Amino acid sequence: MTNKWPLSIVILVALYCNLSHGYSALEDARIIAEYKRSLKASGEPKELDHAAIARKLVHQTDWASVGTISSNPAVKGFPMVNIISINDNDVHQKSTGRIRFLLTDLDFTGIDWQVSNKTTFLFTDEQQLHCSRPKGWNVQPIDPMEPTCARVMISGQVKKMDKNAKDYDPALVSFVERHPAAKNWLKAHAFYLCELEIENIFVLDYYGGPHTVKPDDYYNVQL
């Protein structure tokens, strides 16, 4: 009886043996390509749809870790991170891929983007505990830092939405439906609705480094 080792163990052992003689990117790529060929020969899926994974991670999560370039005098020029509630639904609660969120100038992100309008949103499958607490009695947990715990980093610029635009009210209604607490935010503070103008998407969902996804491919995914 043969013992079928988990994919992560196979690759990590191979990489460890390789690293003991010095790291080689070419050897790393060879090991991964060889394993994918073995999957193809066995009839198992060999390729991941990186654009679809990015859309899924954005759609399934209610918030993102957001990085900006700090304008705060205490840490000016340093990276600043924050938690921002997001919504990519339309009024019918269907995914659009468009990342919308509320900001206030009383918060780090609301101030930073007006000084240096560059930001990156991070989404990970661990936000749903799919990695550390997978379903299934025989499914092994995955550390959130493992490449097989899928994550997507979406970079772009903050666009403050025009309240007079025809898509503003539907977008705000959809956001509040997903985040009921936003009703109080809008009453108590000067929050405004924004959208991320996506410029670059990196997806890390397997060993071998991140993959670049074109924004058009991301938006064209049908969920």
Side-chain angles (χ1 to χ4, degrees):
M1 181 177 178
T2 59
N3 182 28
K4 186 176 180 181
W5 290 83
L7 169 61
S8 58
I9 299 298
V10 172
I11 291 181
L12 287 174
V13 169
L15 290 178
Y16 175 78
C17 294
N18 183 49
L19 286 170
S20 65
H21 297 89
Y23 176 75
S24 167
L26 290 176
E27 182 64 10
D28 188 359
R30 185 194 66 78
I31 292 170
I32 294 169
E34 183 176 320
Y35 196 86
K36 286 186 176 182
R37 283 194 295 271
S38 71
L39 290 180
K40 181 179 180 180
S42 65
E44 297 182 49
K46 67 179 188 307
E47 295 295 339
L48 295 169
D49 187 335
H50 308 297
I53 288 173
R55 277 289 298 276
K56 176 186 174 183
L57 291 184
V58 169
H59 181 60
Q60 75 181 15
T61 52
D62 292 330
W63 56 273
S65 300
V66 179
T68 52
I69 300 171
S70 181
S71 58
N72 188 295
V75 287
K76 189 173 183 179
F78 281 77
M80 175 55 68
V81 290
N82 203 358
I83 297 296
I84 299 294
S85 295
I86 69 100
N87 177 49
D88 83 319
N89 290 332
D90 60 16
V91 290
H92 304 294
Q93 301 305 303
K94 299 295 183 181
S95 171
T96 66
R98 300 175 70 176
I99 302 171
R100 289 166 170 167
F101 45 97
L102 287 176
L103 291 181
T104 173
D105 294 347
L106 300 174
D107 192 33
F108 289 110
T109 312
I111 298 173
D112 288 347
W113 80 268
Q114 298 179 64
V115 177
S116 181
N117 191 10
K118 295 180 180 179
T119 183
T120 297
F121 283 57
L122 168 67
F123 302 85
T124 167
D125 212 17
E126 181 58 13
Q127 286 169 267
Q128 302 293 310
L129 301 180
H130 290 163
C131 301
S132 62
R133 299 180 187 177
K135 294 181 179 179
W137 66 271
N138 62 339
V139 181
Q140 296 297 316
I142 302 173
D143 190 278
M145 192 172 171
E146 282 282 346
T148 48
C149 183
R151 76 200 71 157
V152 56
M153 291 74 77
I154 303 182
S155 299
Q157 299 190 39
V158 176
K159 173 187 174 184
K160 186 175 181 180
M161 297 183 65
D162 182 358
K163 289 186 177 182
N164 296 317
K166 64 180 182 179
D167 61 340
Y168 184 89
D169 287 340
L172 186 59
V173 168
S174 177
F175 187 93
V176 173
E177 285 182 354
R178 189 164 185 174
H179 301 281
K183 293 179 181 178
N184 296 325
W185 306 346
L186 292 165
K187 291 178 182 178
H189 302 289
F191 276 89
Y192 46 92
L193 191 63
C194 299
E195 181 173 338
L196 181 67
E197 291 188 328
I198 298 175
E199 296 186 10
N200 189 75
I201 302 171
F202 286 128
V203 177
L204 184 62
D205 49 20
Y206 195 73
Y207 298 96
H211 300 268
T212 300
V213 171
K214 296 179 180 179
D216 285 347
D217 292 338
Y218 164 84
Y219 283 119
N220 287 333
V221 171
Q222 299 296 317
L223 291 185

